[in-house]
Amino acid sequence: MNAGDPPVLALIGGTGLYQLAGLDDISEQRMDTPWGKPSDLVVTGQLHGRRLAFLARHGNKHSIAPHQINYRANLHALKELGANRVIGINAVGGIRDDMGPRVLVVPDQIIDYTHGRITSFCDGGDVAVRHIDFSEPYSASMRNDLLDACRSAKVDVVDGGCYGATQGPRLETRAEITRMKRDGCDLVGMTGMPEAALARELDLDYACLSLVANWAAGCGDESEISLEEIFANLEQATAQIPAILEALLA
Ligand code: HPA
């Protein structure tokens, strides 16, 4: 195992996760792709004897809003490094009763409410348009490995749920969440799309680990959602990630 080996896994860190603790033999790369620059330096390093890549989706100072993220460059950069398996870690609001603050969820479906984002690598020119099958938006094998890792690390996780992707950066109104609930959404987040679709276009094995930061608007018993609460809950949820990774890489 050396620094030139391709990463066996890449993680895209969301709100509250800007670096990965415990990485050895680190190299940081400022990458440029045909689609532009990724959100930040891509960090590769060794964890439990395996090479891992890490990228902070919003940049390490959380300066890139969900609608401004260059999702294409982020995924292309990870693929270029040789990572074929990717876990997107996303902070979300919980809609379903069993998805309250600090709960971890590996969703299995998506409804996309975002708009105005670049959603495909199909970009004109001579390249034929590819209509990917997206019936199951996440990789079954990546999801199963992630769920197995949570179980062997004794980390509670909910298997399945529908991720509703909203435009942000504002949080939703109660009426919007009521509509999303009616539509069948269990979680709401701002960055799950187009990331998952672009990952499929690149044939990456991609799954999402959702960390519930707060009850979505009008859910639970909260009247107002505070940023302090979001970050405190995310800190607790994020604290479980090292154990999950240890089990995943074992
Ligand atoms: N809505 C959308 N995205 C989020 C939320 C929310 O309530 N919490 C964390 N990310």
Side-chain angles (χ1 to χ4, degrees), residues 2-232:
N2 59 57
D5 289 340
V8 295
L9 179 71
L11 296 185
I12 303 178
T15 302
L17 184 63
Y18 306 106
Q19 57 191 30
L20 210 55
L23 278 186
D24 290 326
D25 192 18
I26 288 177
S27 93
E28 295 184 324
Q29 299 188 56
R30 189 176 304 283
M31 299 184 68
D32 205 353
T33 78
W35 312 101
K37 293 185 185 0
S39 299
D40 208 333
L41 302 176
V42 183
V43 180
T44 52
Q46 202 163 312
L47 192 71
H48 307 295
R50 310 285 200 98
R51 267 209 102 67
L52 222 70
F54 178 83
L55 176 59
R57 190 187 283 114
H58 296 278
N60 69 6
K61 300 205 167 40
H62 200 111
S63 53
I64 309 174
H67 63 289
Q68 293 176 318
I69 291 166
N70 189 339
Y71 295 94
R72 290 196 297 192
N74 287 354
L75 289 163
H76 189 102
L78 298 175
K79 172 114 181 168
E80 200 176 305
L81 287 175
N84 291 317
R85 316 196 84 204
V86 179
I87 299 175
I89 301 175
N90 304 74
V92 295
I95 298 176
R96 207 167 87 188
D97 288 349
D98 60 340
M99 296 185 183
R102 299 177 297 283
V103 169
L104 274 58
V105 186
V106 178
D108 61 353
Q109 277 299 325
I110 299 175
I111 299 179
D112 188 6
Y113 301 88
T114 66
H115 48 86
R117 301 184 183 187
I118 298 173
T119 56
S120 174
F121 287 100
C122 301
D123 209 33
D126 284 341
V127 183
V129 174
R130 194 165 163 219
H131 298 284
I132 50 161
D133 176 10
F134 207 47
S135 327
E136 298 299 331
Y138 299 111
S139 149
S141 91
M142 189 71 259
R143 284 190 76 254
N144 286 337
D145 288 354
L146 187 51
L147 288 163
D148 284 347
C150 291
R151 287 181 198 115
S152 52
K154 305 219 177 330
V155 169
D156 286 336
V157 64
V158 180
D159 174 1
C162 180
Y163 180 114
T166 55
Q167 180 70 356
R170 66 167 177 84
L171 298 169
E172 298 71 34
T173 65
R174 278 191 293 109
E176 286 168 334
I177 294 295
T178 303
R179 178 181 74 149
M180 291 178 74
K181 198 171 181 173
R182 246 188 343 256
D183 286 352
C185 295
D186 302 309
L187 299 163
V188 53
M190 302 172 191
T191 52
M193 284 293 282
E195 196 170 273
L198 291 167
R200 178 62 53 82
E201 283 194 354
L202 289 182
D203 297 313
L204 296 168
D205 268 330
Y206 176 92
C208 165
L209 177 63
S210 290
L211 312 179
V212 182
N214 54 279
W215 283 113
C219 301
D221 53 7
E222 289 158 31
S223 50
E224 205 179 309
I225 301 167
S226 81
L227 265 191
E228 292 76 44
E229 170 209 338
I230 287 186
F231 281 103

